[in-house]
């Protein structure tokens, strides 16, 4: 929507009272009812309704009566309120042409009574090209409900604070003059964006200026996070000016080093591809890329020199820690804690196995829990992954390496049992025990060591009965009788458990995806269609 400031001269005080009343009502209402507007504005004899008709004609208000009868401000109405406030303060007296447009702002030339020219930046958060601002910026904090006008106001406040602080510390940024609502008034810089430049008289000097600017910001505890050719203005004398600050973060940010390197690589890529100047091939440069470690050390020294109060990042609360980064950090910490707990459990299991290896034979838990009985059982035996394919969770199909790992473990255990049986006598009956084939080892079957029970079908209940009967030594995969029981190694158990957990997480992810897809079937019969789809998928 084009900003037409000529409408300002035709608006009366009552019209602005109604605009202000709608703005105040939007603090608690998405759509402000007419009764509330009339009450806040204090106009008599239907004056509020008359002004609303005028404002709607100029597209300063929007009426919505589909679900709830009420009015809300448009961006042009919010612009008029901000411009009128700046005019009343004496900072501007006229609005000129538009000199810039971005994904979240528009920039106009403005003048004052003395003829001085300034730049007026109007934030436009909520455009189609940039609607993920709630997750990409930290304006809201912990607030859950918001409006785009409110977010624009918060962005303007933050940018004005950064610009003012950086200008006072000698950084090449525009001079911050005033701020009202979503508008920021700043000094006009006679330069153009560096992205429009194709040749430079001194590219090495400009490149070093960019790197020094990044290092200086980091020394003050700040990282720009969007340091590129679009946010750098260059004058005819090749002097740089930095703009656009709402996304700046602290150097103590969890991703500070990554963001610092990204800013550096943006400049290196621009000079290499657009300007034709490759910094790595210039031996006259004192350095190609600044060091993040040196910048962090300089920031720590700066904070210590100021009495431990911190740099500009602390003064301006430039945390910028995004929710997605917090989520990734929490997941990483949880995974680390789980891994530590698993390692401690593995050590305790090894100690118990050593203490009870000479004692009674423990019965493994029966069922289809998907875990190897030999890996988590009391005696640590191999060869009791009970049931046909019950060593894996129900519903798990091919595409996993679990079966291959199980087969490898069974083959190793069978070989060890064969070596043991050749050197130690059996119990009298087990001269020619089960077949001990690879297929039976993969299925987790358990064979008997007696001559009359030489075959093994991998049945979990028969295995449990034979354990209760006792007296017959079982080899892994139905191996020869009389051999000493073989225990899984710690690495084998960990490999199997890790594979099982990975498979379980994949199954849960598929379940969630199926559930979400069934919920997303809109229109008539959406729920029934979702249930049918879920039943067809088998989840």
């Amino acid at each position: 929507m084009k900003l037409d400031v000529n409408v300002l001269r035709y608006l009366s005080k009552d019209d602005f009272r109604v605009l202000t009343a709608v703005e105040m009502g939007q603090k608690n209402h998405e759509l402000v009812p007419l009764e509330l507007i009339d009450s806040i504005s204090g106009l008599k004899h239907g004056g509020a309704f008359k002004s609303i008709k005028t404002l709607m004609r100029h597209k300063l208000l929007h009426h919505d009566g589909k679900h709830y009868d009420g009015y809300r401000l448009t961006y042009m109405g919010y612009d008029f309120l901000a411009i009128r406030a700046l005019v009343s303060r004496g900072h501007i007296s006229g609005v000129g042409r538009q000199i810039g447009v971005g994904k979240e702002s528009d920039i106009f030339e403005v003048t004052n009574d003395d003829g001085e020219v300034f730049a007026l930046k109007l934030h436009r958060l909520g455009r189609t090209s940039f609607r993920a601002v709630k997750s990409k910026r930290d304006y809201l904090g912990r607030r859950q409900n918001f409006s785009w006008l409110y977010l624009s106001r918060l962005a303007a406040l933050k940018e004005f604070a950064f610009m003012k602080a950086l200008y006072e510390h000698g950084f090449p940024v525009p001079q911050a003059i005033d701020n009202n609502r979503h508008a920021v008034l700043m000094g006009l810089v006679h330069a153009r964006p560096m992205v429009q430049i194709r040749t430079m008289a001194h590219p090495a000097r400009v490149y070093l200026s960019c790197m020094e600017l990044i290092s200086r910001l980091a020394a003050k505890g700040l990282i720009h996070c969007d340091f590129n050719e679009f946010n750098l203005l260059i004058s005819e004398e090749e002097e740089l000016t930095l703009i656009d600050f709402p996304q700046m973060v602290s150097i103590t940010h969890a991703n500070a080093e990554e963001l610092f390197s990204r800013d550096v690589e943006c400049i290196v890529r621009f000079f290499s591809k657009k300007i034709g100047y490759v910094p790595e091939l210039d031996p006259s440069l004192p350095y190609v890329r600044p060091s993040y470690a040196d910048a962090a050390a300089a920031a720590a020294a700066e904070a210590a020199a100021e009495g431990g109060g911190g740099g500009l990042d602390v003064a301006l609360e430039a945390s910028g820690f995004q929710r997605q980064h917090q989520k990734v950090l929490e997941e990483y910490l949880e995974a680390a804690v789980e891994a530590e707990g698993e390692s401690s459990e593995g050590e305790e299991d090894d100690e118990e196995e050593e203490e009870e290896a000479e004692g009674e034979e423990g019965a493994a838990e029966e069922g289809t829990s998907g875990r190897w009985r030999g890996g988590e059982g009391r005696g640590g035996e191999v060869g009791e992954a009970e049931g046909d394919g019950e060593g894996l969770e129900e519903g798990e199909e091919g595409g996993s390496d679990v079966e291959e790992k199980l087969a490898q473990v069974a083959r190793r255990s069978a070989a060890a049992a064969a070596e043991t049986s050749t050197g130690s006598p059996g119990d009298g009956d087990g001269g020619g025990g089960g077949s001990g084939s690879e297929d039976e080892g993969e299925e987790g079957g358990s064979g008997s060591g007696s001559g009359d029970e030489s075959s093994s079908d991998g049945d979990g209940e028969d295995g449990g009965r034979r354990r209760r009967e006792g007296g017959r030594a079982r080899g892994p995969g139905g191996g020869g009788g009389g051999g000493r029981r073989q225990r899984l190694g710690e690495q084998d158990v960990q490999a199997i458990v890790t594979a099982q957990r990975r498979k379980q997480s994949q199954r849960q992810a598929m379940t969630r995806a199926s559930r979400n897809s069934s919920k997303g079937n809109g229109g008539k019969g959406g729920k029934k269609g979702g249930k049918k789809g879920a039943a067809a998928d088998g989840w």
Side-chain angles (χ1 to χ4, degrees):
M1 184 183 297
K2 185 178 179 180
L3 178 63
D4 185 10
V5 293
N6 291 323
V7 180
L8 274 172
R9 66 183 68 180
Y10 303 113
L11 296 180
S12 63
K13 293 183 178 180
D14 291 347
D15 296 336
F16 279 105
R17 286 176 67 92
V18 172
L19 273 181
T20 307
V22 175
E23 180 190 17
M24 295 175 64
Q26 282 194 257
K27 293 181 179 179
N28 301 317
H29 298 75
E30 184 176 356
L31 297 174
V32 187
L34 179 60
E35 295 80 4
L36 184 59
I37 298 174
D38 196 11
S39 175
I40 296 175
S41 61
L43 300 179
K44 299 179 180 179
H45 307 295
F49 185 73
K50 181 181 178 182
S51 297
I52 287 175
K53 291 174 61 178
T54 303
L55 296 173
M56 289 185 62
R57 184 171 62 252
H58 296 298
K59 298 182 180 180
L60 306 183
L61 286 181
H62 175 74
H63 174 254
D64 191 349
K66 184 175 181 181
H67 300 291
Y68 181 82
D69 188 40
Y71 301 85
R72 63 175 175 84
L73 280 174
T74 63
Y75 261 118
M76 184 177 290
Y78 209 46
D79 294 343
F80 278 21
L81 288 173
I83 292 173
R84 185 171 184 268
L86 294 175
V87 169
S88 63
R89 295 175 186 175
H91 292 307
I92 64 175
S93 59
V95 178
R97 63 188 179 95
Q98 184 175 356
I99 59 176
V101 59
K103 62 181 181 295
E104 51 182 321
S105 62
D106 290 333
I107 304 174
F108 297 87
E109 279 186 348
V110 294
T111 59
N112 60 4
D113 293 333
D114 298 332
E116 297 177 335
V117 182
F118 304 102
L120 180 65
K121 183 175 183 179
L122 301 174
H123 285 260
R124 296 273 194 262
L125 271 67
R127 285 178 173 172
T128 306
S129 60
F130 194 66
R131 298 188 67 87
V133 65
K134 187 177 180 182
S135 58
K136 301 296 183 183
R137 303 283 189 267
D138 62 348
Y139 304 144
L140 281 178
R142 297 184 179 180
R143 302 178 186 90
Q144 298 297 326
N145 301 319
F146 68 96
S147 68
W148 294 116
L149 296 179
Y150 181 64
L151 281 178
S152 300
R153 175 179 174 272
L154 294 179
L157 286 172
K158 194 166 188 177
E159 180 168 18
F160 180 77
F162 276 119
M163 190 184 304
K164 185 176 181 181
L166 292 175
Y167 185 82
E168 291 174 354
H169 283 78
F171 284 91
V173 298
Q175 181 183 5
I177 299 175
D178 199 0
N179 161 251
N180 184 265
R181 292 178 174 87
H182 68 312
V184 179
L185 184 64
M186 65 189 80
L188 183 64
V189 179
H190 297 284
R192 52 180 173 171
M194 199 166 68
V195 69
Q196 301 176 6
I197 303 298
R198 290 294 176 267
T199 58
M200 293 183 182
H202 306 89
R205 181 169 64 86
V206 178
Y207 177 80
L208 282 180
S209 299
C210 294
M211 296 303 164
E212 289 176 1
L213 186 54
I214 294 176
S215 301
R216 285 180 59 195
L217 284 172
K220 291 293 183 179
L222 294 172
I223 298 177
H224 191 274
C225 296
D226 199 13
F227 197 95
N228 51 44
E229 61 273 17
F230 296 94
N231 293 326
L232 284 171
L233 304 179
I234 185 169
S235 63
E236 295 294 336
E237 295 79 16
E238 295 186 347
E239 297 294 334
L240 297 178
T241 303
L242 182 64
I243 59 173
D244 195 9
F245 314 105
Q247 70 285 335
M248 293 183 76
V249 301
S250 170
I251 201 169
T252 58
H253 191 284
N255 300 83
E257 185 172 3
E258 176 186 353
L259 297 172
F260 181 88
S261 301
R262 188 180 70 179
D263 286 349
V264 172
E265 293 302 325
C266 284
I267 299 301
V268 173
R269 184 167 55 251
F270 169 75
F271 276 86
S272 300
K273 293 185 177 181
K274 300 293 184 181
I275 306 300
Y277 171 74
V278 183
E280 289 87 350
L281 302 181
D282 189 356
S284 63
L285 288 178
Y287 61 90
V288 177
R289 294 174 176 83
S291 172
Y292 172 78
D294 296 341
E302 180 79 14
E306 295 181 1
L312 288 178
D313 56 335
V314 178
L316 299 172
E317 298 180 356
S319 62
F321 197 84
Q322 301 174 7
R323 292 179 304 165
Q324 57 198 30
H325 297 156
Q326 180 68 32
K327 182 179 180 181
V328 172
L329 179 60
E330 290 176 355
E331 290 177 355
Y332 172 77
L333 294 177
E334 289 177 1
V337 171
E338 289 179 1
E340 185 177 356
E342 290 173 5
S343 61
S344 62
E345 288 179 3
E347 295 176 358
E348 293 176 359
D349 291 343
D350 292 341
E351 294 177 359
E352 291 179 0
E353 288 177 2
E354 292 176 0
E355 293 176 358
E356 300 179 3
E358 303 297 333
E360 295 182 357
E361 180 180 345
E365 260 186 358
E366 297 182 2
T368 58
S369 62
R371 297 179 182 272
W372 268 56
R373 304 305 172 97
E376 294 184 358
R378 185 178 177 187
E381 296 180 358
V382 181
E384 267 141 25
E386 298 179 355
D388 296 333
E390 289 180 358
L392 300 178
E393 297 220 2
E394 295 181 3
E396 297 176 3
E397 297 178 345
S400 173
D401 57 347
V402 178
E403 292 87 352
E404 184 180 351
K405 291 184 178 180
L406 298 182
Q408 292 176 0
V409 173
R411 285 195 292 270
R412 287 198 299 268
S413 300
E419 293 177 1
T420 307
S421 63
T422 57
S424 59
D427 58 356
D429 298 315
S435 63
S437 65
E438 262 184 294
D439 294 337
E440 290 174 351
E442 291 179 6
E443 291 177 0
S446 59
S448 170
S450 64
D452 56 348
E453 294 180 8
S454 58
S455 63
S456 172
D457 58 354
D459 193 308
E461 295 181 358
D462 292 346
R465 177 175 54 79
R466 284 194 290 271
R467 280 198 307 274
R468 290 191 293 271
E469 290 174 359
R472 295 187 181 94
R474 291 185 296 273
R484 186 178 177 181
R485 297 192 306 273
Q486 300 296 323
R487 291 195 300 271
L488 279 173
E490 181 181 356
Q491 295 180 354
D492 297 332
V493 174
Q494 282 297 115
I496 294 171
V497 172
T498 303
Q500 292 287 355
R501 289 183 176 177
R502 187 186 303 115
K503 196 68 177 177
Q504 184 179 6
S505 64
Q506 292 174 357
R507 186 172 65 85
Q508 292 175 353
M510 292 175 65
T511 304
R512 288 194 298 269
S514 177
R515 188 184 303 116
N516 292 337
S517 64
S518 63
K519 288 182 179 179
N521 293 328
K524 296 183 179 179
K527 295 184 178 179
K528 295 181 179 179
K531 292 181 179 179
K532 291 181 180 179
D537 293 339
W539 296 103

